[in-house]
Amino acid sequence: MRKAALFPIVLLFVMISTASGFGQDGDLAMLRAEALEEVNEDRRAQDLEPLALGEDLNEAALAHANDMIERDYYAHSSPDGNDVQDRYIAAGGSRWELVAENISRCENCMQTPDVATVERLQRGWMDSPGHRENILRPGLSRFGFAVVVHPQQGLYAVQTFAGPGTPRGTGSEATELLAMDRQLSVALDAINELRQEAGVPTLSASQALTDIARRLIPADVPDPDKLPGLNSVASDLDRSSWEEIVTIVGACGGCGPEPARSDVRAFVDDWTNQQVYRESLLGSGASHLGFALRANGEGKKVAVAVLGSVR
């Protein structure tokens, strides 16, 4: 089984502050509640869905703030190369979600953090285009926050975000949800358009191969390396009718909770941009296509193309 995968999207932004007036310790639970309210107020102003606190995101934020203090650095990547996605996964988060992070440091801020501290941090992030983009990003559902003060190094604050993301692509295709019974025709159109440009015969739709594609992606949408084998799901296929059957698997993370029309084009583009898959999709040997795409609702999508050549 040939497989292609895309990694989850990670977005990172840094802000440095030299203002004074922040503090030493504080009621972190209260500060997190305030930070969440500040973020959601700005999101509501843009007609965006509010976020919920996530313990895994809180843990990742606090771990990063403490690590920056303990190892005396200020960056999204730690000295050993770990980033927000690594920290989120270590805290129990999914590697398939869209993850984003904002950080801020104030070297002269030694006092106990309070509500005013959180308000100033939020204003600073919202006044910075990159940080603002993370706060107002569609496709997020949960939020984490930490603020830590060191008596010599000052204040370190971290916002973390996660969610299913949005479908790849732009325009109406990215917002048009695609039912399973329409996926094959959309994939067939996309692939045949490329085959016509390449001067090879177009493929025909095959419901039998599409049934195989659907069985290859169980309803719980396992990771690509845990999909069942072709032989285990194609026992009822009339092998005497087919000269060859080739399967291509793709996966993406942070690309939205439900299948969209644009996802199909994105997977076809992914495959045709890789020589080994391009040869299968655009080669003259294949005659029929089956296709299936499933999403787990949390950002992971897996697609399968089944190419067959009749005898």
Side-chain angles (χ1 to χ4, degrees), residues 67-74 105 153 156:
D67 190 52
M68 286 190 289
I69 289 174
E70 291 168 6
R71 294 203 274 178
D72 193 19
Y73 71 95
Y74 179 62
R105 181 184 182 188
Q153 296 168 242
Y156 292 75

Side-chain angles (χ1 to χ4, degrees), residues 31-227:
L31 297 177
R32 282 171 170 160
E34 177 62 26
L36 178 65
E37 178 55 34
E38 294 284 337
V39 164
N40 281 339
E41 183 176 343
D42 288 324
R43 288 179 63 87
R44 282 191 292 267
Q46 301 298 320
D47 295 324
L48 294 168
E49 289 295 317
L51 308 182
L53 276 179
E55 284 306 311
D56 44 12
L57 287 164
N58 283 334
E59 183 178 334
L62 185 58
H64 191 38
N66 284 328
D67 190 52
M68 286 190 289
I69 289 174
E70 291 168 6
R71 294 203 274 178
D72 193 19
Y73 71 95
Y74 179 62
H76 291 291
S77 294
S78 69
D80 50 12
N82 286 337
D83 61 16
V84 61
Q85 184 179 336
D86 298 314
R87 293 185 288 272
Y88 180 53
I89 293 171
S94 168
R95 72 186 182 97
W96 294 101
E97 288 185 276
L98 166 67
V99 184
E101 179 180 80
N102 290 335
I103 63 177
S104 181
R105 181 184 182 188
C106 177
E107 296 181 5
N108 300 321
C109 303
M110 307 299 181
Q111 297 177 356
T112 302
D114 57 15
V115 169
T117 304
V118 176
E119 291 174 346
R120 286 193 290 270
L121 285 165
Q122 181 68 10
R123 285 199 301 271
W125 279 318
M126 284 296 290
D127 287 340
S128 169
H131 301 88
R132 178 187 176 92
E133 185 177 352
N134 277 346
I135 292 168
L136 301 182
R137 188 172 298 279
L140 298 175
S141 59
R142 294 178 302 118
F143 172 77
F145 178 79
V147 57
V148 179
V149 175
H150 186 275
Q152 284 80 46
Q153 296 168 242
L155 177 144
Y156 292 75
V158 180
Q159 289 181 326
T160 49
F161 307 85
T166 56
R168 291 179 292 165
T170 58
S172 60
E173 282 200 343
T175 58
E176 182 184 344
L177 299 184
L178 192 64
M180 183 165 279
D181 61 2
R182 296 177 55 214
Q183 293 174 1
L184 174 60
S185 63
V186 174
L188 192 67
D189 288 345
I191 293 171
N192 278 341
E193 179 182 326
L194 295 173
R195 290 178 67 90
Q196 288 176 333
E197 292 175 0
V200 294
T202 57
L203 302 177
S204 298
S206 169
Q207 188 58 50
L209 295 182
T210 295
D211 290 342
I212 298 302
R214 292 175 180 176
R215 293 175 202 164
L216 283 169
I217 315 176
D220 60 348
V221 195
D223 290 358
D225 58 351
K226 296 181 180 179
L227 297 182

Side-chain angles (χ1 to χ4, degrees), residues 237-290:
L237 188 67
D238 182 6
R239 299 297 184 94
S240 64
S241 300
W242 302 97
E243 182 71 28
E244 183 181 34
I245 295 175
V246 174
T247 61
I248 303 176
V249 177
C252 69
C255 49
E258 299 180 74
R261 175 181 284 270
S262 64
D263 290 320
V264 177
R265 170 65 71 176
F267 278 114
V268 170
D269 288 345
D270 294 339
W271 292 330
T272 53
N273 285 332
Q274 301 178 66
Q275 186 62 33
V276 62
Y277 308 125
R278 182 180 180 86
E279 290 176 357
S280 296
L281 285 174
L282 305 185
S284 59
S287 60
H288 289 74
L289 174 73

